[in-house]
Amino acid sequence: MAQSDSSLFVKIREGKLAVVLVYVDDLIITGDDIEEIFQTKKNLSVRFQMKELGELKHFLGLEVDHTENGLFLCQQKYTTDLLKRFGMLECKPVSTPMEPNAKFCAHEGKDLQDSSMYRQIVGSLIYLTITRPDISYSVGVISRYMQNPKKSHLEAVRRVLRYIKGTVSYGLMYKKGEDCSVLGYCDADYAGDHDTRRSTTGYMFMLGSGAVSWCSKRQPTVSLSTTEAEYRAAAMAAQESTWLIQLMQDLHQPVDAEIPLLCDNQSAIRLAENPVFHARTKHVEVHYHFLREKVLQGEIAIYGVVHVATHEQVADMFTKSLSPGKYEKFRCQLGVVQRMGTNIEGEC
């Protein structure tokens, strides 16, 4: 059993790798040697009753396309069924899931007569973020109001549905031949929540051409400065980076000792490298100094604003609503493209 995931089982024998991923009674079996994969299947079938379904194409609502260019993951059928279920299959598409600089409040607007549909839509959209990191921020925002949604919140939900109507066939593309190094981005939107004045953490990690891990989450406490908000975001990204390193090691895949974590806030970078602002940042919770510890141990490499200007900060997509041009640019950088066989054939 892998240390990084209790559902992941890895066997290596004589340099041959076999991997089994388990979800209840569904298994994905893969590896780097056909004979070793067949032997693993044979060994499992001795103890368990198994049914061979062939090459992986569908798994828990995910669709997998094996193409000449690489591997494509999407939820096209799930998205279509979602739109049909809530009567939005014929709606007019929009270019972004949320209006630029949109702001929401918990107590403004009319109450909904029946809020159950709101919760059902949001719950369904949360599952869609498995292959659609481009809607993570929007879904994170609308999920904050599930307890007592207002009419304005329902309108925001419908806009997200209108966006996915125009991007039904979009998903994540992992291209062959790409440099499989891990690269991370982190960002924060300072005091972005109007109700609590908490900041929003956003981070994402790339492996080759596509995103493999991402997060858009409101911070648990109020930050007193932009530096603190950015530092908290970097600390969360550092925790995810540590897990990714362990996962790659469990899969016996080479990974650099230092994962570049790109941040566009120089104060947070300096604080991570050396506590030069200690007198002004002593209120920062102790466990967020985990980031500085990882930097000193050489597990995280942090590059400053010279390496990632604000207009190149992909993690912006996970902290705020953006203009259509900037949104499409970052979506492309995430590896979210249209399915092969459609108009743009998997290209940005």
Side-chain angles (χ1 to χ4, degrees):
M1 184 174 70
Q3 295 183 23
S4 57
D5 192 328
S6 59
S7 300
L8 183 67
F9 298 85
V10 182
K11 182 180 77 170
I12 187 165
R13 184 180 62 176
E14 299 178 355
K16 300 176 181 179
L17 182 68
V19 180
V20 180
L21 184 64
V22 182
Y23 182 82
V24 190
D25 58 352
D26 293 312
L27 306 178
I28 297 178
I29 304 175
T30 186
D32 59 4
D33 185 82
I34 296 296
E35 292 183 2
E36 191 65 28
I37 293 174
F38 284 150
Q39 186 61 46
T40 301
K41 292 179 182 178
K42 185 177 179 180
N43 294 342
L44 287 171
S45 62
V46 172
R47 297 291 302 273
F48 306 100
Q49 185 177 356
M50 296 175 60
K51 183 179 180 182
E52 172 63 55
L53 298 178
E55 185 181 67
L56 179 64
K57 293 184 178 179
H58 299 88
F59 188 74
L60 305 176
L62 276 68
E63 300 171 46
V64 183
D65 288 349
H66 302 265
T67 71
E68 294 180 358
N69 297 326
L71 195 67
F72 182 79
L73 302 180
C74 71
Q75 293 168 277
Q76 185 170 343
K77 184 179 184 303
Y78 176 86
T79 305
T80 303
D81 292 343
L82 170 62
L83 293 170
K84 187 183 299 182
R85 178 184 175 191
F86 295 107
M88 298 290 286
L89 193 59
E90 303 299 326
C91 66
K92 184 178 179 181
V94 291
S95 57
T96 60
M98 187 171 285
E99 293 183 5
N101 303 314
K103 301 296 180 182
F104 299 97
C105 295
H107 306 292
E108 291 184 1
K110 296 181 179 179
D111 290 330
L112 298 178
Q113 293 183 350
D114 182 12
S115 59
S116 60
M117 184 181 73
Y118 182 93
R119 299 187 182 100
Q120 291 172 10
I121 298 174
V122 174
S124 300
L125 288 172
I126 289 173
Y127 191 71
L128 184 58
T129 60
I130 293 175
T131 59
R132 295 296 300 273
D134 52 322
I135 63 171
S136 292
Y137 172 71
S138 304
V139 174
V141 171
I142 59 180
S143 66
R144 298 171 188 172
Y145 307 104
M146 292 179 71
Q147 184 174 1
N148 186 28
K150 306 292 184 179
K151 187 176 180 181
S152 59
H153 305 144
L154 181 59
E155 291 173 355
V157 167
R158 285 176 175 159
R159 183 181 175 91
V160 177
L161 292 176
R162 290 174 61 194
Y163 169 74
I164 66 171
K165 168 61 170 64
T167 56
V168 168
S169 60
Y170 277 59
L172 285 166
M173 182 71 186
Y174 301 98
K175 297 179 181 178
K176 290 181 180 178
E178 295 285 328
D179 178 20
C180 286
S181 58
V182 181
L183 174 66
Y185 293 83
C186 66
D187 194 25
D189 181 29
Y190 176 59
D193 188 297
H194 275 219
D195 297 306
T196 64
R197 281 304 176 185
R198 295 181 187 178
S199 305
T200 301
T201 288
Y203 67 75
M204 56 85 63
F205 287 88
M206 302 283 293
L207 179 62
S209 64
V212 293
S213 178
W214 53 86
C215 174
S216 178
K217 186 177 182 179
R218 187 172 58 181
Q219 294 181 356
T221 56
V222 178
S223 295
L224 301 182
S225 65
T226 304
T227 298
E228 182 181 350
E230 295 273 0
Y231 191 66
R232 288 169 180 263
M236 285 188 64
Q239 294 176 48
E240 186 71 6
S241 172
T242 301
W243 177 80
L244 280 173
I245 291 174
Q246 182 62 59
L247 177 62
M248 297 291 282
Q249 291 174 345
D250 288 340
L251 294 172
H252 296 271
Q253 300 301 309
V255 61
D256 292 336
E258 293 186 353
I259 292 181
L261 184 59
L262 306 186
C263 176
D264 61 2
N265 185 280
Q266 289 185 326
S267 297
I269 294 164
R270 299 294 177 265
L271 184 60
E273 293 174 343
N274 185 25
V276 292
F277 302 122
H278 179 70
R280 281 176 284 173
T281 56
K282 60 184 180 182
H283 60 279
V284 178
E285 295 178 36
V286 174
H287 66 274
Y288 283 104
H289 288 264
F290 168 84
L291 171 64
R292 190 168 68 213
E293 183 177 287
K294 290 298 179 182
V295 172
L296 294 175
Q297 291 175 355
E299 294 184 23
I300 295 291
I302 298 192
Y303 299 106
V305 70
V306 173
H307 294 270
V308 56
T310 301
H311 65 272
E312 294 293 337
Q313 176 56 280
V314 183
D316 259 0
M317 177 175 275
F318 299 93
T319 62
K320 57 181 73 71
S321 53
L322 304 172
S323 62
K326 198 171 185 179
Y327 185 86
E328 290 173 8
K329 174 186 175 182
F330 288 160
R331 182 180 66 191
C332 181
Q333 289 184 253
L334 287 174
V336 177
V337 297
Q338 198 167 6
R339 196 170 195 167
M340 297 293 286
T342 53
N343 292 334
I344 57 175
E345 306 226 332
E347 296 295 336
C348 297

